[in-house]
Amino acid sequence: FIGTSQSRVRALIAEFGLHLQPTYAKGKHIWELSDRRYDFEGLAPSLDPVHGLDLGHLVSLSDRLALQVGAEAPWAAPQAAELDAQTLAQWVEAHSYTGLVREFATIMTRAVIGADPDEISALFWAWYVAQGDSIEVLTGGPGGAQDSVIEGGAQQLSLRLAAPLGEAVRLGQPVRRVAQTEQGVEVHTDEGLFRGRRVILALPPSMAATIEFEPGLPADRRELQARAPMGRYAKAVATYARPFWRDKGFAGDAGSLRGPVVATYDDSSADGAALLAFVGGDAERGWRTLEAPQREAAVLECLARWFGPEALQPLAYVEHDWTLDPWLRGAPVTILPPGVLSRLGPALRRPCDRIHWAGTEAATRWTGYIDGALRAGEAAAAEVVAALRA
């Protein structure tokens, strides 16, 4: 997804002559909590006064906290230690009054970062919200973080960036060892040895932990890599002869606590009608233990529950569980439990002598999105240029 305020990726899309397709949002949206369902138009369902005030209060408080924590150095915020000593679930419990609002918080974090509120610190969440402007923007469709998609797929960005480099781009060569010497850096892969004056590693901290470093990395960086897992996320797409949900007045998006699908979107394009489903957080943990036919059935049953029995008969179905991907081990972004960000946060970006860090986790804006990855890569490149000129 491409958000409206993600200016760096939008500039690259324009540079390459690619086109954005707005996320379909006409019709009714769905919220499904543990014991009730809301079908509504607009930004949020019409709640009774108590629940409406409670939800508005929590969202407003979260946005204000994000502004206080900031996007660049959350570990330096006045309340950093206090916020990082508690889970988001504990913070929500202390600042809300109804079960409905606490259930909404669970749907929100499962959909946005693939984790439950009791797995992340309140400081981490405030920082993540600060990077994405606000709760409303992070969770929003039109005008928000899920405003558009790239026609033809997001991989076009990587392919267009790689094309001018030709054979300099080496695929299928996992890095096993990085050694710093007096002359520079040696990068060892399964296929050979590469030498340079400096190196940029653009990958999640948990994947950096699979590489051997000589000499060893500083203690803070090693500890960060050991305590920074990825979220739990799987994605499924079901295609259909026509977007039958639109005929029924639905936009095709849903947010659910019942699961196992936590969020859906209308993924239709010129190629045909489709529904996109995400399985995230604790819902993903049980779903991935099922056999393939049962996993598919569980996803399609969710779609049928929301949009009608036609969902049970797709033309095609495909899924990918990022927690089982050996080169990622989760998605969509690194999550930080209590006690990590306030103590080890600076190690996300701090160079280790000749080693520089990129990847979306090192961004100061839009971590978790392509826009953040671009910003972090350009920041690391600027660090290297400055170091080489020194």
Side-chain angles (χ1 to χ4, degrees):
F1 288 109
I2 308 297
T4 52
S5 64
Q6 294 176 3
S7 57
R8 185 62 198 93
V9 69
R10 284 179 169 262
L12 193 64
I13 290 167
E15 178 183 333
F16 288 151
L18 302 175
H19 301 284
L20 288 172
Q21 173 184 307
T23 301
Y24 187 83
K26 297 178 181 178
K28 293 178 289 186
H29 316 289
I30 299 171
W31 281 7
E32 183 182 61
L33 305 180
S34 59
D35 62 351
R36 70 193 83 184
R37 165 175 165 163
Y38 296 92
D39 293 7
F40 62 96
E41 296 186 6
L43 297 177
S46 178
L47 302 174
D48 62 78
V50 172
H51 288 114
L53 286 172
D54 195 20
L55 180 59
H57 167 75
L58 187 72
V59 170
S60 177
L61 192 62
S62 298
D63 287 342
R64 292 202 304 272
L65 184 64
L67 285 174
Q68 294 169 13
V69 166
E72 295 202 10
W75 46 86
Q79 305 176 60
E82 176 186 347
L83 291 169
D84 210 30
Q86 59 186 305
T87 66
L88 178 62
Q90 291 170 323
W91 186 86
V92 170
E93 179 80 19
H95 294 90
S96 63
Y97 305 95
T98 63
L100 180 146
V101 171
R102 292 159 195 159
E103 290 188 349
F104 168 77
T106 300
I107 296 172
M108 175 178 64
T109 59
R110 285 182 178 181
V112 174
I113 58 173
D116 279 32
D118 61 356
E119 298 180 284
I120 59 175
S121 82
L123 179 67
F124 168 74
W125 180 248
W127 174 60
Y128 200 84
V129 172
Q131 292 218 19
D133 294 340
S134 67
I135 293 287
E136 297 88 340
V137 172
L138 266 181
T139 60
Q146 286 70 231
D147 178 80
S148 307
V149 296
I150 301 172
E151 290 183 4
Q155 193 185 19
Q156 292 175 97
L157 295 177
S158 300
L159 296 174
R160 299 284 183 99
L161 285 167
L165 300 174
E167 294 183 357
V169 177
R170 307 295 181 91
L171 303 179
Q173 295 193 36
V175 172
R176 306 299 186 183
R177 183 169 180 266
V178 175
Q180 299 194 63
T181 69
E182 292 183 1
Q183 290 74 37
V185 184
E186 295 179 348
V187 175
H188 299 258
T189 76
D190 291 344
E191 302 296 327
L193 168 64
F194 300 85
R195 291 185 173 90
R197 295 167 65 185
R198 290 181 177 263
V199 64
I200 297 173
L201 297 182
L203 72 175
S206 59
M207 286 308 301
T210 67
I211 299 172
E212 177 188 354
F213 293 91
E214 178 63 36
L217 296 175
D220 278 4
R221 179 68 200 192
R222 291 200 311 271
E223 188 178 354
L224 170 70
Q225 293 174 175
R227 299 177 62 188
M230 298 293 287
R232 292 184 305 281
Y233 230 33
K235 179 180 180 179
V237 178
T239 61
Y240 298 93
R242 59 176 291 103
F244 60 87
W245 53 93
R246 296 183 184 181
D247 299 337
K248 298 181 179 184
F250 290 106
D253 62 279
S256 173
L257 185 68
R258 285 180 58 186
V261 174
V262 67
T264 65
Y265 296 91
D266 185 324
D267 199 35
S268 304
S269 67
D271 295 325
L275 286 170
L276 163 65
F278 289 113
V279 181
D282 262 4
E284 190 277 338
R285 182 178 282 118
W287 176 83
R288 71 174 178 233
T289 65
L290 303 174
E291 297 296 326
Q294 285 71 45
R295 292 196 304 271
E296 178 179 348
V299 169
L300 296 181
E301 286 167 6
C302 285
L303 301 181
R305 189 167 74 234
W306 301 325
F307 307 121
E310 299 94 327
L312 296 173
Q313 303 296 326
L315 299 176
Y317 171 91
V318 64
E319 68 180 35
H320 186 78
D321 188 342
W322 283 295
T323 69
L324 304 179
D325 189 318
W327 306 115
L328 193 57
R329 301 183 180 183
V333 69
T334 292
I335 60 173
L336 297 180
V340 178
L341 186 58
S342 62
R343 293 179 173 93
L344 306 172
L348 282 165
R349 308 183 195 117
R350 182 192 296 137
C352 300
D353 198 1
R354 298 175 185 271
I355 298 172
H356 301 259
W357 306 103
T360 193
E361 286 82 2
T364 57
R365 182 159 170 75
W366 284 114
T367 281
Y369 287 78
I370 297 173
D371 191 85
L374 288 169
R375 293 172 187 271
E378 290 172 343
E383 283 179 356
V384 169
V385 169
L388 294 177
R389 289 176 175 172

